Amino acid sequence: MYHYLDFHHTICYDVSMYLHEKRYRKRGSQALDETSQKIIDAAMILVRDKGYVATTTKEIARLAGVNECTLFRKFESKKDIVIQGAIRPFE
């Protein structure tokens, strides 16, 4: 059985590793385009309200007003979207 705390620990670890890797990269920060921003905002709303596991990429795309294919052109996975939403305040 997959527990919420296991998932929470995994996401926190992924965010911390992303921030650690970014600290040592010498690239400038990349601004997100409007579509990516809409997708991230929609995902964070749904994850907050329903939880990560219950949120689907189809729901994220619908709330963001984009096609699900567009979502996957911008992000590799639902996990990637949530990580981008979580690190935004630190950039």
Side-chain angles (χ1 to χ4, degrees):
M1 178 179 261
Y2 194 67
H3 294 284
Y4 170 78
L5 291 177
D6 293 336
F7 169 76
H8 179 74
H9 175 72
T10 301
I11 288 294
C12 290
Y13 176 77
D14 289 342
V15 168
S16 67
M17 289 305 296
Y18 178 87
L19 291 173
H20 177 74
E21 289 171 7
K22 184 176 180 185
R23 180 179 299 156
Y24 294 105
R25 282 189 232 144
K26 297 297 180 189
R27 300 186 325 193
S29 69
Q30 298 174 350
L32 294 172
D33 61 49
E34 185 179 345
T35 303
S36 297
Q37 193 63 53
K38 285 180 182 178
I39 292 168
I40 290 171
D41 292 342
M44 299 312 280
I45 289 168
L46 289 168
V47 168
R48 180 194 68 207
D49 293 347
K50 296 177 64 175
Y52 179 84
V53 175
T55 299
T56 66
T57 55
K58 186 175 277 190
E59 292 171 324
I60 294 169
R62 187 179 318 121
L63 185 60
V66 300
N67 190 298
E68 193 173 13
C69 294
T70 303
L71 182 144
F72 284 112
R73 284 191 195 112
K74 300 286 184 180
F75 300 96
E76 291 180 19
S77 64
K78 178 172 71 169
K79 182 177 174 181
D80 187 38
I81 300 168
V82 173
I83 288 173
Q84 290 295 323
I87 63 167
R88 253 190 334 191
F90 299 104
E91 294 187 323

